[in-house]
Amino acid sequence: MTAGLTIDAAAVEQAAALLAAGGLVAFPTETVYGLGADADNVDAVRAIFAAKGRPADHPVIVHVLGAEAIDAWSAGAPTAARRLARVFWPGPLTLVLPRSARAHDALTGGQASVGLRCPAHPWARALLAAFAALRADPSAALAAPSANSFGRISPTTAAHVRADLGEKPAGRVDLILDGGPCPVGIESTIVDLSTATPRLLRHGSITRRQIEATIGCEVPDAGGNAPRASGGLESHYAPRTRLELVPATGLPARINALRGTRLAVLAPAAALLDWPADVVLRLVAPADSTEYARRLYALLHRLDESGAARILVAAPPQGEAWEAVHDRLRRAAAAAEPAEDGT
Ligand code: TXA
Ligand code: MG
């Protein structure tokens, strides 16, 4: 049966105990799997960075049970933050706020702000509740970046985490909770409210328009001097295989030009006709933006493992609903080295 439907209470209790003892637990959220540690435990938070191979000066998101924890982890959160939390929490929205003393440097990467998110996934909530009960502190929280090696494709299934980080002793994580595939599939929207002007640090399933409508002002993309966000690095969310985004109508010509190269292709069903033998894998791109986001990383994982020398992705439709998907695909494509023949 699908693990996503039923919470394994014994596994959640075991995970909470491991976390309270300073261990690392991978757990499902509605967006992607997170690699969690006790947010108050500096050594445990440092161990996350070691497990991921991530630079220590990158901040991690602090996952909390509810908006009541805002004042434990941040200081002087603006009204806009509380309004957003009321509307979108629990859910895929991260708020970057001025930090409190409790938000130590290992969490914030030494910055004056902290990222807070209240996840909606029932397994994540059960884990947070069990952990908070063990710690006898309702604002006990889990520091958790996505549970992937630094710079690699984010995990949306427990199998992705197992294949990348793995469980100890062979792997790097104390326990991987399997709560089934993540229903949203791409990382949370991040809004920076740590300065006077709200900024959008990362696109997600909650759109700019929804944020702006809630707080009643414009929320432009962050510029060059934005706080550090590894999701903002061009090379993030990258398959190992070079990935090219191709206008849907230009796909046949591009495939033709790449004759002799082993290709893996992600394109709408209508475009998946009459392919040359060089195409070793073709996957049908979901027509709906929510479905596309939900399956994006699993599709990228499969394309990357196909043995192809090049991945071609037909550019999805335009429009606000597709913005977060375009953002992830652009980053995946930007990571690729240009081929020696310049193609
Ligand atoms: O959906 C998500 O947000 C997932 C799940 C596990 O909750 N987490 C996630 O974490 O995507 P991570 O570490 O892979 O990406 C979090 C992003 C990073 O780009 C990080 O730099 C940024 O949030 N971030 C965290 N705290 C920040 C801060 N104080 N200022 C600016 N960016 C921050
Ligand atoms: Mg990540």
Side-chain angles (χ1 to χ4, degrees):
M1 79 174 264
T2 312
L5 300 180
T6 316
I7 295 175
D8 180 342
V12 166
E13 283 300 330
Q14 186 197 356
L18 284 166
L19 289 164
L24 298 183
V25 171
F27 63 98
T29 81
E30 68 275 32
T31 57
V32 300
Y33 273 70
L35 179 58
D38 179 351
D40 285 305
N41 184 329
V42 176
D43 290 335
V45 174
R46 291 216 175 101
I48 293 177
F49 289 84
K52 280 182 63 91
R54 187 189 209 192
D57 60 349
H58 285 207
V60 285
I61 294 174
V62 175
H63 294 68
V64 297
L65 252 185
E68 306 73 39
I70 286 179
D71 292 316
W73 294 97
S74 72
T79 316
R82 297 183 201 278
R83 204 169 285 158
L84 287 169
R86 202 177 320 124
V87 174
F88 296 109
W89 281 6
L93 176 68
T94 296
L95 303 174
V96 172
L97 302 171
R99 73 172 176 182
S100 70
R102 186 169 178 180
H104 50 84
D105 282 347
L107 292 173
T108 68
Q111 300 184 70
S113 60
V114 63
L116 299 182
R117 161 157 137 74
C118 172
H121 196 285
W123 282 67
R125 301 199 60 71
L127 180 62
L128 274 166
F131 174 68
L134 263 186
R135 289 272 322 272
D137 174 1
S139 57
L142 297 177
S146 51
N148 53 295
S149 300
F150 181 64
R152 305 262 42 111
I153 304 170
S154 298
T156 51
T157 65
H160 291 156
V161 185
R162 211 161 276 131
D164 179 358
L165 302 177
E167 253 172 6
K168 289 176 183 168
R172 289 176 256 169
V173 181
D174 290 291
L175 182 70
I176 300 170
L177 286 178
D178 186 352
C182 301
V184 174
I186 53 173
E187 298 84 348
S188 59
T189 305
I190 305 183
V191 181
D192 183 6
L193 296 161
S194 66
T195 60
T197 316
R199 304 259 175 209
L200 192 62
L201 293 190
R202 183 170 70 187
H203 292 264
S205 63
I206 294 171
T207 64
R208 186 204 311 275
R209 200 170 302 165
Q210 287 177 285
I211 305 285
E212 290 179 340
T214 305
I215 64 177
C217 69
E218 287 193 3
V219 183
D221 278 333
N225 58 358
R228 208 178 301 112
S230 61
L233 293 180
E234 282 299 310
S235 67
H236 230 59
Y237 317 106
R240 293 185 160 80
T241 314
R242 183 179 169 196
L243 181 148
E244 251 181 71
L245 259 178
V246 183
T249 50
L251 202 56
R254 190 67 191 126
I255 289 172
N256 211 25
L258 288 168
R259 231 162 245 277
T261 304
R262 289 164 63 81
L263 300 175
V265 179
L266 174 62
L272 289 172
L273 304 164
D274 299 333
W275 297 94
D278 298 331
V279 178
V280 296
L281 178 67
R282 331 162 199 176
L283 296 176
V284 178
D288 169 73
S289 61
T290 304
E291 177 74 0
Y292 199 114
R294 191 170 67 73
R295 294 181 48 210
L296 173 61
Y297 289 135
L299 291 166
L300 288 181
H301 277 281
R302 283 182 62 195
L303 293 163
D304 203 19
E305 285 152 14
S306 66
R310 186 82 55 97
I311 297 169
L312 299 184
V313 176
Q318 294 298 324
E320 175 166 83
W322 289 92
E323 225 173 296
V325 162
H326 275 286
D327 172 75
R328 301 309 189 277
L329 285 173
R330 264 197 309 271
R331 291 170 200 282
E337 306 271 316
E340 274 167 30
D341 62 358
T343 50

